[in-house]
Amino acid sequence: MTEPKVLEELEQVKNAALAELENVKDETELLTWRNTYLGKTSAVMKAFSSLGTLVPDQRPLVGQGANRVKTMLEAALTEKTNLLKESAMAHSLASQSLDVTLPGRVIPRGRLHPDTQILRELYRIFGDMGFQVYHSREVESDEYNFQLLNFPVGHPARDMQDTYFIDAPNRGDNPLLMRTHTSPGQIRAMREFSALNPSDPPPVRIIVPGMVYRYEQTDQRHETQFDQLEGLAVGERIRFSDLKGTLTEMARRLFGPNARTRFRASYFPFTEPSAEFDIQCFQCDGKGCGVCGGGWLEIGGSGMVHPNVLRNGGYDPTRYSGFAFGFGVQRIAMLKYGINDIRYFWDNDLRFLEQF
Ligand code: DAH
């Protein structure tokens, strides 16, 4: 008996299919291939449906042959499917690989304003010496900004600080104003502390940082607003040497272990005696240079708290004494970083800010 012709044809179809499968590159091509060789109209499927038209003794032969071919094609299809999956995965891994020799990208980062940096440094320095940060208000009354600090109404020393007054009605001798200095924080803090135990008020060790406002012509060294740092220590047997020690320690921490301080007699209504304090120039070590002029940098005011001020804060001046100081924070930053114009601080010019 001769081999039925269908089987011969199926053999050829199978060879063609397997050859074609070799060249299939993606899922779409694979789907087409599957329709062509295993779909309803494919030669194999047709062979099955034609079985009924064959003479009986050829049926099993053709049936088995067609089955063999179908099984082979299906196996080849499965193998190819897996192969395509693997290569797709490998491809996507390759696209994710890193070139470790590429130069890194610089990520732009924000930074702290130089004013914030210097303030935080001052908080650390005074925190180490046992001082708390006390925040007082920027809108003040004449009473707190002047009167309770021993500047009576009409006192000539008020002219030292040109004041922005706030237009509020019916306040007579006690108008509202923008604080001209952080010193009113002394009264607010002392009153708050002494209220805790009026007959035996606790000691005070505070710094008061914050903006102050002055009605002034601006220039390289003057702004209409700037930060001050006020200091206040009240307790029993506090002496001028404690003030000197505290400010000298601040100078050393800011400008290095050899920093020296100098105190010059001065006048402030709220301290007696009063002194302005200087730090020896860190640029020239006191020889005199472009930064300092005469070898010393003027930093701020200080003194022993006036008895009237202690009393106004709720502290009996026959039992308590205290020292106080106040200085411009920007002035310290200018000296430390060599900034020659105070107006840079609030210009928000990135060319300035990015240097810190
Ligand atoms: N409040 C003064 C000013 O702004 C600075 C000052 C001087 C503060 C002497 C003090 C001090 O606490 O004792 O000019």
Side-chain angles (χ1 to χ4, degrees):
M1 192 179 65
T2 55
E3 183 91 329
K5 200 154 171 265
V6 225
L7 287 184
E8 216 175 287
E9 279 168 19
L10 277 181
E11 188 62 23
Q12 280 165 18
V13 168
K14 184 198 79 186
N15 289 338
L18 292 179
E20 213 175 285
L21 191 61
E22 289 279 304
N23 299 321
V24 163
K25 286 185 301 294
D26 56 34
E27 262 180 77
T28 336
E29 286 181 16
L30 195 62
L31 222 69
T32 315
W33 181 90
R34 185 183 162 174
N35 280 335
T36 312
Y37 295 105
L38 289 163
K40 279 192 198 120
T41 57
S42 62
V44 188
M45 293 310 183
K46 274 188 187 148
F48 285 120
S49 53
S50 69
L51 285 180
T53 66
L54 299 176
V55 290
D57 61 345
Q58 283 196 347
R59 282 178 200 165
L61 261 181
V62 174
Q64 282 161 17
N67 237 338
R68 223 176 22 251
V69 171
K70 182 170 171 256
T71 311
M72 278 180 79
L73 289 181
E74 280 173 350
L77 172 69
T78 308
E79 199 184 327
K80 186 71 183 184
T81 308
N82 291 338
L83 235 114
L84 282 181
K85 266 192 203 141
E86 269 167 36
S87 82
M89 203 133 70
H91 187 76
S92 85
L93 276 181
S95 72
Q96 279 173 23
S97 69
L98 293 176
D99 180 351
V100 293
T101 64
L102 275 179
R105 281 182 216 132
V106 180
I107 300 162
R109 294 180 65 196
R111 63 191 77 209
L112 294 174
H113 193 283
D115 193 47
T116 308
Q117 292 186 31
I118 205 94
L119 270 173
R120 289 193 180 177
E121 192 171 345
L122 288 165
Y123 296 167
R124 268 200 301 279
I125 293 172
F126 283 103
D128 287 352
M129 290 194 269
F131 286 75
Q132 280 176 273
V133 176
Y134 183 87
H135 288 287
S136 192
R137 57 191 72 184
E138 294 186 13
V139 175
E140 265 300 0
S141 61
D142 189 280
E143 185 187 16
Y144 276 85
N145 195 80
F146 293 123
Q147 296 165 35
L148 294 169
L149 289 168
N150 213 25
F151 294 81
V153 175
H155 193 281
R158 288 177 174 230
D159 295 344
M160 289 159 78
Q161 301 175 1
D162 293 310
T163 309
Y164 283 114
F165 288 96
I166 290 172
D167 201 2
N170 307 324
R171 293 191 56 99
D173 280 341
N174 192 21
L176 290 182
L177 46 83
M178 301 304 290
R179 69 176 172 195
T180 58
H181 53 173
T182 43
S183 303
Q186 292 188 26
I187 302 286
R188 296 215 175 261
M190 278 192 285
R191 287 193 165 181
E192 204 174 311
F193 278 63
S194 62
L196 296 171
N197 191 359
S199 59
D200 190 22
V204 180
R205 301 277 188 284
I206 53 154
I207 50 173
V208 187
M211 272 289 163
V212 301
Y213 302 83
R214 302 231 179 133
Y215 183 54
E216 266 184 306
Q217 192 76 39
T218 59
D219 62 28
Q220 282 197 355
R221 289 168 58 104
H222 297 92
E223 257 289 15
T224 57
Q225 65 176 85
F226 54 97
D227 272 301
Q228 278 193 341
L229 191 89
E230 189 84 14
L232 175 70
V234 176
E236 291 179 59
R237 289 182 298 282
I238 287 187
R239 295 168 303 200
F240 198 90
S241 53
D242 297 317
L243 168 65
K244 288 177 88 170
T246 303
L247 289 176
T248 304
E249 180 59 19
M250 173 188 86
R252 287 184 182 145
R253 292 277 301 264
L254 279 173
F255 296 109
N258 299 323
R260 294 176 58 202
T261 48
R262 178 173 85 171
F263 292 77
R264 288 175 287 112
S266 184
Y267 172 76
F268 300 100
F270 37 91
T271 41
E272 183 59 37
S274 301
E276 279 172 76
F277 67 99
D278 304 338
I279 294 178
Q280 193 171 61
C281 182
F282 56 92
Q283 277 289 339
C284 63
D285 285 333
K287 291 182 196 71
C289 70
V291 174
C292 59
W296 292 87
L297 306 160
E298 293 177 18
I299 304 294
S302 64
M304 298 307 289
V305 182
H306 194 286
N308 290 348
V309 174
L310 285 172
R311 205 176 290 117
N312 289 339
Y315 284 79
D316 175 2
T318 62
R319 181 175 161 202
Y320 294 94
S321 54
F323 68 73
F325 57 86
F327 56 83
V329 175
Q330 276 77 57
R331 176 124 184 84
I332 302 271
M334 288 169 80
L335 294 169
K336 203 171 152 92
Y337 301 127
I339 301 163
N340 59 17
D341 194 323
I342 194 171
R343 290 169 295 190
Y344 286 131
F345 281 93
W346 318 123
D347 267 356
N348 277 340
D349 186 333
L350 286 180
R351 290 169 301 177
F352 171 73
L353 296 174
E354 282 176 347
Q355 294 179 44
F356 301 95

